[in-house]
Amino acid sequence: MSSDDLFVAEEGVIAAAERLLADGVFDSPDEQKNFEQLLKSYQKLFRTARRLMRLGDHNERQLNAAAEVIAQKNKELESLSTKLSKYLSPQIYNSIFTGAQGVEIASSRKKLTIFFSDVVNFTETTDKLESEDLTNLLNRYLTEMSDIALKHGATIDKYIGDAIMVFFGDPESRGLKEDARACVRMAIAMLGRMRELRSEWQELGAEKPFRVRIGINTGYCTVGNFGSNDRMDYTIIGNAVNLTARLQSHAEIDGVLLGHETYSLVKDEVAAEEQTPIKVKGFAEPIRCYKVLGLYDHLAEEGTVIREELEGFKFHLNLQKRDKGDAIRILEGILSRLKA
């Protein structure tokens, strides 16, 4: 309904009043004059109300048009935002768009747990693949590993060809120990998923499905925005990062190698075996490192580890490393001392 339709009754009142004046039905000139003044006031009010209503209709149309433009712009911004999010780790993306993270060149020192993985003999593995098949294979691999990383709370730093670099502890942290544990759990989950993917790829005819090495290390890093005012990269640098890459290169195929500090943080949850210290470029002393055997909970379910923990009591037995007879003799000796 238009604004004009709303004033039909008022127009009828004015027309009736004008007919009364034209017919001269009033008893005295003063009565007619008062009625005439009243009619003029009513007509003036009527015209003002109509102008306001038409102005309101006009403004409403403009507001509706503006709202449609804004809605369209919001859709475009949302689409652009979604596209931009593909180039940033979710934690970094959220911190920037919520204002918690600035976009100026700045950095800080933090102790982080860093993860490096790399595909073993990548060039040799992919030499016989067509570029389309290689692209699909690599993208599938990176997607699967990234999904696991995000599920465990990792900040994805970058992909370097077939290599993946992520870290825990910035911009969000659950505490140094829990960050380290989450990183090792993530690595073990990745290796489990890789076993499933290799079976799938072999069924599809892949001659040499991907195999990986993983290195994990904990240490102080410089973390923040690096680059120029026009092009920045949120990343980490420092000796701890370099050491993680070196650990990865010394890991066994389909294995995880931990630095000493990471092992110290996760040893209550993760079974690991110390390896011969490695000499790496840039470090004067040999580096202590540990091969991950698995999570204690998983190993206990498999029956390869017996582990019990109570307050003031801890028992751990690796049946792969210790003969059952030896274990029984040791336990009997402990029992005899307890009974004495």
Side-chain angles (χ1 to χ4, degrees):
M1 179 182 293
S2 69
S3 59
D4 290 335
D5 296 333
L6 297 174
F7 293 101
V8 172
E10 284 76 4
E11 289 174 342
V13 171
I14 292 172
E18 289 174 340
R19 284 196 297 273
L20 289 175
L21 285 173
D23 294 341
V25 297
F26 300 94
D27 295 334
S28 68
D30 288 341
E31 187 179 334
Q32 181 170 341
K33 184 178 180 181
N34 289 336
F35 187 83
E36 188 174 349
Q37 288 177 344
L38 181 61
L39 176 58
K40 287 180 179 179
S41 297
Y42 186 83
Q43 289 173 322
K44 183 178 180 181
L45 181 61
F46 174 74
R47 288 192 295 270
T48 301
R50 173 170 281 183
R51 283 197 300 272
L52 289 173
M53 184 64 76
R54 287 175 175 169
L55 180 61
D57 288 346
H58 176 70
N59 289 341
E60 184 180 1
R61 288 192 294 272
Q62 286 188 319
L63 286 172
N64 289 337
E68 290 179 3
V69 172
I70 291 172
Q72 181 60 34
K73 293 296 182 183
N74 284 338
K75 286 183 180 180
E76 293 174 2
L77 286 172
E78 184 178 350
S79 175
L80 178 60
S81 175
T82 301
K83 292 175 182 177
L84 287 174
S85 70
K86 304 297 183 182
Y87 292 87
L88 297 169
S89 185
Q91 298 93 328
I92 304 301
Y93 172 82
N94 291 332
S95 64
I96 290 175
F97 276 80
T98 58
Q101 175 73 39
V103 290
E104 69 278 358
I105 296 178
S107 61
S108 60
R109 292 278 290 174
K110 287 186 179 181
K111 183 171 280 191
L112 307 174
T113 295
I114 310 122
F115 166 102
F116 262 97
S117 71
D118 199 13
V119 175
V120 178
N121 298 325
F122 179 75
T123 302
E124 178 185 336
T125 302
T126 58
D127 271 345
K128 296 181 180 180
L129 294 175
E130 296 294 337
S131 59
E132 295 84 359
D133 293 333
L134 173 58
T135 298
N136 292 334
L137 187 66
L138 184 58
N139 285 338
R140 174 73 185 283
Y141 162 70
L142 293 175
T143 297
E144 294 280 352
M145 298 303 103
S146 298
D147 287 345
I148 294 172
L150 295 177
K151 181 180 178 181
H152 286 79
T155 297
I156 299 175
D157 188 305
K158 59 175 66 72
Y159 306 114
I160 312 166
D162 58 290
I164 301 172
M165 175 181 170
V166 308
F167 55 86
F168 288 76
D170 185 84
E172 300 170 357
S173 175
R174 289 172 285 182
L176 189 60
K177 178 171 285 192
E178 183 53 36
D179 287 341
R181 288 176 170 178
C183 186
V184 177
R185 288 194 294 265
M186 175 193 73
I188 293 172
M190 286 179 172
L191 291 179
R193 183 60 181 142
M194 284 300 296
R195 286 192 292 271
E196 296 171 352
L197 288 174
R198 279 196 296 274
S199 297
E200 178 182 324
W201 288 333
Q202 284 175 332
E203 290 179 1
L204 293 175
E207 294 183 16
K208 296 181 179 181
F210 288 169
R211 307 185 80 89
V212 297
R213 290 189 175 96
I214 295 173
I216 297 175
N217 181 47
T218 301
Y220 279 101
C221 308
T222 301
V223 55
N225 293 320
F226 295 87
S228 69
N229 290 326
D230 298 320
R231 176 68 172 86
M232 300 179 192
D233 187 19
Y234 194 91
T235 188
I236 55 176
I237 59 174
N239 284 338
V241 181
N242 299 333
L243 178 55
T244 311
R246 301 288 185 267
L247 288 171
Q248 173 269 313
S249 65
H250 283 80
E252 294 182 356
I253 295 177
D254 297 326
V256 182
L257 196 62
L258 306 180
H260 179 70
E261 186 163 357
T262 304
Y263 170 72
S264 298
L265 293 167
V266 305
K267 61 183 179 182
D268 291 338
E269 182 177 326
V270 178
E273 186 177 79
E274 186 165 9
Q275 306 295 289
T276 302
I278 59 175
K279 180 70 175 175
V280 298
K281 183 178 179 182
F283 294 84
E285 299 296 327
I287 303 300
R288 294 180 69 182
C289 53
Y290 303 79
K291 179 178 72 173
V292 171
L293 303 176
L295 298 175
Y296 280 125
D297 289 344
H298 294 172
L299 295 174
E301 290 175 3
E302 294 171 0
T304 57
V305 164
I306 298 174
R307 189 167 183 257
E308 296 291 341
E309 277 193 48
L310 297 171
E311 187 174 352
F313 173 82
K314 181 185 289 187
F315 175 77
H316 168 71
L317 173 63
N318 187 339
L319 295 173
Q320 294 178 320
K321 296 293 183 180
R322 177 65 65 179
D323 180 74
K324 287 184 179 180
D326 290 340
I328 291 171
R329 285 190 293 274
I330 293 171
L331 288 172
E332 286 175 343
I334 295 173
L335 286 172
S336 64
R337 290 202 300 270
L338 288 172
K339 292 175 180 179

